[in-house]
Amino acid sequence: MSDKQNTQRSAAGLSLTRLQSEALLEVSGPDAVNFLHNQASCDIRQLNTGRACYGSFCNPQGRVLADFIALAISADTLLLRLQRDILARTLESLGRFAVFSKVTLRDATEDWRLLGLQGENWQAALREHVAELPEDALDWTAAPETLLLRPTTDPQALELWVRVAAEGALPEALMAQSTPQPDEEKWQAANLRQGIARLQATTSGEFLPQQLNYDLCGHINFRKGCYPGQEVIARMHYKGKAKRRMLLMTLPADARLQAGAPVYRAGQDQAAGAVINTALASKEERLVLVTTSATAAEDGLYTTPEASVPLQVLTLPYSVPFG
């Protein structure tokens, strides 16, 4: 058997997803790093070659407007990957502050093709095309006209950001060795299992970072300087306790819950939590990230006050301390 046949055989089981729900925001200029550092909850100044970071933008009340992964492709150019449906409002919000800095904000989504590669042997599929592969969560490497990013601790997931103007042999090779996914459900379900909340238009501006576990996942740097909402967020961290946290739960596949939908204790009309993200994991199961209190989770949560469909709590890959 030839080396090429070995590679194709070892890559069996791979799936390739076009990440249509994602977008890229480009921040460039002499003040790009300092500008973003002053607006984001993470420490942008600590970014170095080959390393990305989670972050968020918040309003003055400490509510999260957008979450992102950021990486620096040069000393004065950064790319932020965030949800497509909040890109326009994020650009508008940042633009109000950008007038005071030597910085350019641009929707760069059409310049790149964003792909999600899943499977146990994605390394084998890439080795003959890529000299260096990212090893750990939030590591990234560069191939010709392509960035390869490990977005979470999931060892079977890799993102590829491919320049549209110069697509080469790599995307074609992956398509030949992978099963194309008709939608993003499989990719999103795997991300939900990692417990990384994603803000969408319906949930933007509704939650504190701690209610989304962002302080547990690395979105917040409590040692950096000021940014919008920093005082509120730091006060909860140092002087208060998060009464609401985010948990991973499961429902029957046919349950219809959207981001922002309320969940309830049995027999109570007042919402006891809210859905942050949801994705179909299989024909039988739907995964849901829910922000709620410890007592509500213990009492049991349902899709309606009539206790029509129960939500079952699953384990996240990190511990969740309630206040």
Side-chain angles (χ1 to χ4, degrees), residues 62-268:
R63 306 281 169 168
V64 182
L65 299 174
D67 70 282
F68 58 82
I69 286 180
L71 56 85
I73 58 175
S74 70
D76 60 0
T77 302
L78 299 98
L79 291 176
L80 277 61
R81 195 265 281 136
L82 70 167
Q83 288 281 284
R84 185 185 291 263
D85 69 349
I86 57 174
L87 173 63
R89 68 175 67 178
T90 302
L91 275 168
E92 181 182 1
S93 177
L94 292 176
R96 292 195 291 268
F97 300 97
V99 295
F100 304 107
S101 302
K102 296 178 181 178
V103 64
T104 299
L105 308 176
R106 187 174 70 89
D107 178 0
T109 308
E110 299 305 316
D111 297 347
W112 299 81
R113 188 179 180 191
L114 304 182
L115 303 172
L117 184 66
Q118 288 173 287
E120 293 183 359
N121 298 310
W122 59 261
Q123 293 93 338
L126 291 171
R127 277 197 186 99
E128 67 176 278
H129 305 283
V130 179
E132 183 181 5
L133 297 175
E135 296 182 359
D136 299 313
L138 296 178
D139 283 349
W140 68 275
T141 59
E145 305 302 332
T146 303
L147 304 180
L148 299 92
L149 168 70
R150 291 279 302 275
T152 68
T153 56
D154 184 354
Q156 298 187 26
L158 180 78
E159 286 186 23
L160 297 100
W161 303 358
V162 184
R163 287 191 184 274
V164 171
E167 288 194 27
L170 178 56
E172 293 182 7
L174 289 177
M175 289 178 190
Q177 298 178 56
S178 306
T179 301
Q181 296 299 308
D183 54 47
E184 296 180 51
E185 292 282 358
K186 180 180 178 181
W187 175 264
Q188 292 174 351
N191 285 336
L192 261 63
R193 293 189 186 277
Q194 301 303 307
I196 308 297
R198 303 301 310 281
L199 266 292
Q200 299 170 235
T202 53
T203 51
S204 176
E206 295 295 321
F207 304 102
L208 294 167
Q210 287 90 339
Q211 295 171 332
L212 304 171
N213 297 355
Y214 281 172
D215 57 325
L216 308 178
C217 300
H219 293 67
I220 312 296
N221 187 307
F222 290 100
R223 297 183 300 276
K224 65 164 286 185
C226 293
Y227 58 90
Q230 184 263 345
E231 290 185 3
V232 176
I233 296 166
R235 189 181 306 120
M236 175 173 282
H237 178 71
Y238 291 111
K239 296 184 179 180
K241 294 181 179 179
K243 302 300 181 183
R244 287 198 172 196
R245 287 288 192 179
M246 193 179 67
L247 299 173
L248 176 63
M249 299 187 178
T250 182
L251 285 164
D254 59 357
R256 300 299 178 188
L257 280 183
Q258 301 297 323
V263 292
Y264 303 88
R265 287 186 176 96
Q268 296 187 15

